[in-house]
Amino acid sequence: MEVILQPNEEAAAALVARIVAHELRTNPHLVLGLATGKTMERVYRRLVGLHKDEHLDFSLCSTFNLDEYVGLFPSDPNSYRHYMEHHLFRQVNIDPRNTHLPNGMATDLEAECRNYEALIHRFGGIDLQLLGIGKAGHIGFNEPLSALRSRTRVKALTPTTLKQNAAGFGGEDKVPRRAITMGVGTIIEARRCILLATGGSKSEVISQAVEGPITSMVTASALQLHPRCTVIVDEAAAAGLKEKDYYRWIFDNEPEWQEYR
Ligand code: GLP
């Protein structure tokens, strides 16, 4: 794992967008894993900006989102399909046929999960997976106790997550109880992972995920097993980390990061 500290959330999101842009320019057929949530909105805003100002080309890339609520139509303003259309897909030149999210309205949810895994496989696997982190320490919707080798499946959402995601639904009781999510095992098979966390509310889970033991109680900690995972945090989200000086030293000295410093 590498940890990169940035002074604020804007700088952290800008760095993630620059890495995505670099990967996309290097490989226009990039298979990009996408995440939702407030934190990612800034990243998508930056990517839309790069598309408009620097002609960043999405025409050949494909995307797979981490998760989707069960029981919401794609047109529902709270669905992750709607989020993605609004924040990214409709604002760049991506081919809509190359954008994938699990279908939370599928009549056979188990078949939908199996098909999603098969589709990722058919596209050759995910090159770069973007990740946020929930207050329950989850990646995707892999709530505490999710098996670290789990695959795409339906998960019940914990009270912490229902509370965290309640805003747009007009109350906790209106948040869908279940979601389809890529498994922890699916996620850590991506060739590269980038986790972005900003704000003081994430500092505790970030220190658990980065400096704590690998545990299914904090599924983001499974990223410690990943051979190429970068955690990008702003100062507020980094507040609980013990080894900040060490992470700064690596970022300042590692040749790979030269063009991003
Ligand atoms: C949801 C998503 C996660 C995301 C998390 C963080 O739970 N399923 O993939 O990481 O929200 O959201 P936010 O960025 O709003 O804190």
Side-chain angles (χ1 to χ4, degrees):
M1 227 182 214
E2 274 177 310
V3 181
I4 300 180
L5 283 85
Q6 292 290 289
N8 53 53
E9 45 193 2
E10 205 51 60
L15 178 58
V16 175
R18 281 175 67 199
I19 296 171
V20 174
H22 173 81
E23 295 273 347
L24 195 51
R25 287 188 180 115
T26 310
N27 172 17
H29 289 93
L30 193 74
V31 180
L32 188 55
L34 297 173
T36 49
K38 279 251 156 278
T39 317
M40 287 296 155
E41 290 178 15
R42 280 198 171 78
V43 175
Y44 298 139
R45 218 175 294 142
R46 291 267 170 179
L47 286 173
V48 170
L50 288 170
H51 170 68
K52 294 198 167 122
D53 304 338
E54 296 176 23
H55 309 293
L56 183 64
D57 180 19
F58 289 82
S59 64
L60 298 175
C61 89
S62 328
T63 64
F64 284 90
N65 266 77
L66 286 168
D67 44 19
E68 178 61 283
Y69 289 111
V70 167
L72 296 190
F73 284 105
S75 56
D76 190 302
N78 281 305
S79 77
Y80 284 164
R81 165 59 78 175
H82 187 275
Y83 171 107
M84 288 311 308
E85 296 287 345
H86 177 74
H87 291 289
L88 186 67
F89 299 158
R90 256 189 257 131
Q91 305 200 54
V92 296
N93 65 335
I94 197 162
D95 182 340
R97 290 168 303 182
N98 287 340
T99 65
H100 308 96
L101 281 92
N103 175 10
M105 292 302 286
T107 40
D108 184 343
L109 292 171
E110 278 182 27
E112 173 64 18
C113 295
R114 277 195 307 276
N115 293 340
Y116 202 63
E117 286 276 336
L119 200 59
I120 294 172
H121 188 72
R122 214 177 312 145
F123 274 71
I126 291 167
D127 293 310
L128 172 62
Q129 177 67 57
L130 299 186
L131 297 161
I133 187 168
K135 285 184 189 142
H138 65 213
I139 44 176
F141 270 130
N142 291 287
E143 300 287 42
L145 288 183
S146 290
L148 301 185
R149 296 179 65 181
S150 52
R151 312 301 307 189
T152 302
R153 69 216 182 289
V154 176
K155 280 298 286 179
L157 305 181
T158 59
T160 310
T161 301
L162 295 175
K163 192 185 280 175
Q164 190 191 340
N165 293 3
F169 289 92
E172 229 171 290
D173 51 324
K174 303 209 175 67
V175 184
R177 274 1 196 194
R178 296 185 305 155
I180 295 179
T181 179
M182 280 187 203
V184 183
T186 321
I187 292 169
I188 61 177
E189 272 173 23
R191 284 180 269 280
R192 182 172 187 187
C193 286
I194 295 182
L195 186 147
L196 171 65
T198 56
S201 68
K202 300 291 173 67
S203 66
E204 196 182 329
V205 279
I206 278 296
S207 59
Q208 288 173 345
V210 174
E211 295 178 337
I214 296 174
T215 167
S216 61
M217 290 305 289
V218 179
T219 53
S221 67
L223 293 167
Q224 294 175 29
L225 295 167
H226 196 282
R228 201 162 175 228
C229 176
T230 309
V231 175
I232 297 174
V233 282
D234 67 352
E235 288 293 345
L241 292 172
K242 293 194 187 75
E243 303 293 341
K244 278 189 271 195
D245 292 344
Y246 174 52
Y247 310 142
R248 283 201 184 96
W249 187 89
I250 293 174
F251 185 62
D252 290 343
N253 289 280
E254 186 64 66
E256 184 197 342
W257 294 112
Q258 199 167 341
E259 62 181 290
Y260 295 101
R261 290 196 279 265

